[in-house]
Amino acid sequence: MIGASGYVLDGEQAALQETNDHFLANLQKNGSYSVVPRIPGGEVTPEGLIVIGEIARDFGLYTKITGGQRIDMFGARVEQLPLIWTRLVDAGFESGHAYGKSLRTVKSCVGQTWCRYGVQDSVRMAIDLELRYRGLRSPHKLKSAVSGCARECAEAQSKDFGVIATSHGWNLYVGGNGGATPRHADLLAQDLTDAELIRLIDRFLMFYIRTADRLERTSTWLERIPGGLDHVREVVVEDSLGICEELESLMAAHVAHYADEWATTINDPEKLARFVSFVNAPDTPDPVVGFVPERDQIKPDLPLLSIGHRPLEGSAQR
Ligand code: SF4
């Protein structure tokens, strides 16, 4: 069930997942996988950066900063994923769900703490939101951002739910999207307190999860449903259907039952058994997963995928 908590590959949830979810990583064009630890709000300590750097160096992974303010490590063979994640989990990192139809990141600017123009602490709010909604399965991926003032450096109006600080609190925008069909988000409510903001996002996300079609982003859902933004505002702000208490309790259950999928996986031999290239030869790495050097790192070696050959299906990530 979308929105349900629990291990993503258990029970009926397993049948809904794509190839990426089956290995809790993003499949890349040469059959290798990428690894994205969560970095809430884009805030990371020097020690955290060193751990990521050491892991990437030790496993020979290609590293790149993503558009969602985190670090992607490419080129992992499937059997290396548990080894990499054991080190990440030991250092306090958890799944970034770059592979899932779930919350990706809550981007933030530095906000009031460092910026001369900031009127609220956008980093703290982004971290609070990312930790609250991490692991929430939804009809499609969810992106968010928090800007510390109207200058909008975090680009919150291009997100599924975006927050912009005001001198009185927070403005909440919904239904924004970048990508192939960009859409500016709509203002849902303004000058909210912290508690009002979180309550409204809880309701909005659960209403979307419960009523959107599979693979329907918030932007298309908002334009498709009868009454559009006005209807959503009536339901989640004014409680016109009398369902807000239920929506809030569904989100509270998600928050209470969240567990990191990778920590769960590396502590369960049965779940680990799937991380092999060949079921009948679990110690044998896939020989077709190769790499060549480029700009002091690696890139996929694709002799069979040159001009005219259709690449294997990849996955948009960030
Ligand atoms: S959005 Fe405002 S507070 Fe945030 S970095 Fe930009 S100018 Fe500063």
Side-chain angles (χ1 to χ4, degrees):
M1 180 172 60
I2 289 173
S5 294
Y7 189 68
V8 68
L9 300 179
D10 276 347
E12 66 181 46
Q13 291 200 111
L16 295 171
Q17 309 311 319
E18 298 177 341
T19 309
N20 286 335
D21 297 86
H22 278 285
F23 292 110
L24 306 178
N26 290 70
L27 178 65
Q28 304 299 330
K29 59 199 298 184
N30 69 339
S32 64
Y33 288 84
S34 72
V35 172
V36 187
R38 184 167 298 291
I39 297 181
E43 183 181 83
V44 60
T45 62
E47 289 74 20
L49 286 172
I50 289 167
V51 167
I52 290 174
E54 286 178 341
I55 291 170
R57 182 195 59 204
D58 294 350
F59 286 87
L61 305 175
Y62 168 79
T63 53
K64 191 175 188 310
I65 309 288
T66 75
Q69 297 185 334
R70 48 192 186 174
I71 300 168
D72 208 338
M73 293 178 271
F74 293 79
R77 299 173 194 274
V78 67
E79 67 276 10
Q80 292 177 319
L81 292 171
L83 304 172
I84 291 168
W85 273 105
T86 297
R87 286 179 57 177
L88 286 169
V89 169
D90 282 351
F93 287 103
E94 58 182 24
S95 172
H97 298 100
Y99 47 81
K101 299 287 178 281
S102 55
L103 180 76
R104 298 292 168 89
T105 65
V106 183
K107 191 173 167 181
S108 70
C109 71
V110 290
Q112 186 184 43
T113 310
W114 291 91
C115 178
R116 290 176 297 143
Y117 302 109
V119 292
Q120 303 288 347
D121 187 351
S122 51
V123 179
R124 179 192 54 78
M125 179 54 75
I127 293 171
D128 287 352
L129 296 178
E130 189 155 343
L131 295 182
R132 185 168 183 80
Y133 303 121
R134 61 188 164 175
L136 179 69
R137 252 53 197 194
S138 56
H140 212 308
K141 61 189 169 188
L142 289 167
K143 297 184 177 183
S144 180
V146 184
S147 282
C149 81
R151 288 170 182 80
E152 244 287 65
C153 295
E155 300 165 328
Q157 289 168 97
S158 66
K159 304 301 182 192
D160 295 283
F161 60 103
V163 180
I164 300 178
T166 71
S167 49
H168 303 292
W170 306 98
N171 286 354
L172 174 59
Y173 294 80
V174 296
N177 197 14
T181 314
R183 181 182 190 277
H184 245 126
D186 294 308
L187 179 62
L188 183 67
Q190 40 191 333
D191 293 330
L192 303 164
T193 65
D194 287 12
E196 288 169 342
L197 174 70
I198 288 169
R199 188 166 62 237
L200 209 44
I201 298 174
D202 282 4
R203 294 174 178 183
F204 171 77
L205 289 179
M206 271 303 165
F207 186 50
Y208 159 67
I209 286 169
R210 291 285 149 155
T211 57
D213 290 336
R214 191 161 150 72
L215 297 181
E216 188 174 43
R217 290 292 294 268
T218 58
S219 54
T220 40
W221 167 76
L222 204 52
E223 297 201 341
R224 176 185 61 80
I225 57 168
L229 177 71
D230 289 341
H231 175 61
V232 171
R233 187 181 284 116
E234 285 165 11
V235 173
V236 303
V237 180
E238 297 156 23
D239 199 11
S240 61
L241 298 180
I243 59 170
C244 285
E245 198 177 326
E246 183 192 350
L247 297 175
E248 288 173 29
S249 70
L250 285 167
M251 189 61 83
H254 161 74
V255 174
H257 295 117
Y258 166 81
D260 174 32
E261 287 159 7
W262 265 108
T264 304
T265 302
I266 61 177
N267 288 309
D268 184 338
E270 213 171 287
K271 292 181 170 57
L272 280 178
R274 72 170 63 229
F275 291 89
V276 291
S277 295
F278 304 104
V279 175
N280 54 355
D283 296 327
T284 306
D286 186 343
V288 305
V289 177
F291 303 94
V292 292
E294 183 176 70
R295 296 186 294 276
D296 300 325
Q297 298 202 71
I298 58 163
K299 72 172 184 178
D301 185 11
L302 301 172
L304 299 175
L305 296 175
S306 54
I307 300 168
H309 193 98
R310 194 168 67 86
L312 295 171
E313 186 185 343
S315 172
Q317 52 198 9
R318 283 196 296 274

